[in-house]
Every structure is written in C-alpha cells, then in structure tokens.
Amino acid sequence: MRRADGGEALVDLGALASGVLWGLLLMVAAALTLGVLDFWFAPEPQAEAARTLIVQGVAAALAGARSTWLAGRGGFMHGLAAGVGLVAAVTVIIGIFRDLPGILGLARGLAVGAGAGALAGVAAVSLGRR
C-alpha cells in the first residue's frame, strides 16, 4: 500500500483487517468450545479468567502472524497492531452484548494482545524469509 506522497505505508490495512478477522473467528470457535465444556464441567472463576486470557493470547498471536504473513514486512508493527485491534474489537463486541470489563481487565487484555501479536508477527516475518 502506497501513501499519497508515493512512499510505502507503515501498516498494510488489508493485511491488518485479515489478521483481526482470523483472530475473531478463532475466538468465536473457542467461545463455542468453552461454552460446551462449561456446560458439562462448571469452572471456577479464576480458571475462567485464565482461560479467557489464554484464548485471547492465542487469537492475538494468530492475528499477528496472519497480518504479518500477508504484509510480508514489519512483523513487530503488524503483529502489535493486529493484537491490539483484536482485543479492542472483542471489547466492543462484549460491551454491546454485556457490560464492559474494568480498567484492569482491559489493560490486561491489551497487554496480552499486544505482546502475543508482536511476538507472532516477528516470528512470522522471520519464518517468511527462509
């Protein structure tokens, strides 16, 4: 993607959108699976919070890797943006259907999303060069 002055854009928005959508699809599949498991085996509140962060981290890693793989460059930036974008999108969706998480929960989710997305983005760009 080119900027108006002819230079290369910092972030490929198409690749970023694709990564966030893939992450959302993974989170929907994980939510369905965890919902069925919760129906059979009642979880403790601490275990449920930990599972949520694990699912968010894996989905953010997938989003970061997918966006970086499609862009072919800028692994850290694309992964970070995809991870943060995924957690922000999930927070908006949760806010529509339920209530918004607290500041600590939002900060924790954004930190997990940013870290997992950035690491996966760096790994994806490194693997793509081989």
Side-chain angles (χ1 to χ4, degrees), residues 27 30-31 34-39 41-56 94 98 108:
M27 288 192 78
L34 289 175
V36 169
L37 288 174
D38 287 348
F39 180 74
F41 310 105
E44 296 180 14
Q46 295 85 8
E48 191 172 359
R51 284 191 301 191
T52 301
L53 285 176
I54 290 170
V55 168
Q56 281 182 347
I94 289 172
R98 294 182 58 183
R108 192 178 308 152

Side-chain angles (χ1 to χ4, degrees), residues 19-20 22-24 26-27 54-65 82-83 86 116:
V20 170
W22 275 64
L24 282 173
L26 177 67
M27 288 192 78
I54 290 170
V55 168
Q56 281 182 347
V58 171
L62 174 71
L86 175 68

Side-chain angles (χ1 to χ4, degrees), residues 56-127:
Q56 281 182 347
V58 171
L62 174 71
R66 173 74 179 170
S67 65
T68 301
W69 193 267
L70 288 178
R73 61 181 170 75
F76 182 79
M77 183 60 72
H78 281 92
L80 181 75
V84 169
L86 175 68
V87 173
V90 168
T91 302
V92 168
I93 292 170
I94 289 172
I96 290 172
F97 294 109
R98 294 182 58 183
D99 53 347
L100 289 172
I103 297 294
L104 184 61
L106 181 61
R108 192 178 308 152
L110 286 173
V112 167
L119 285 175
V122 169
V125 82
S126 296
L127 290 175

Side-chain angles (χ1 to χ4, degrees), residues 16-35:
L16 187 64
S18 176
V20 170
L21 280 174
W22 275 64
L24 282 173
L25 288 174
L26 177 67
M27 288 192 78
V28 167
L32 289 173
T33 304
L34 289 175

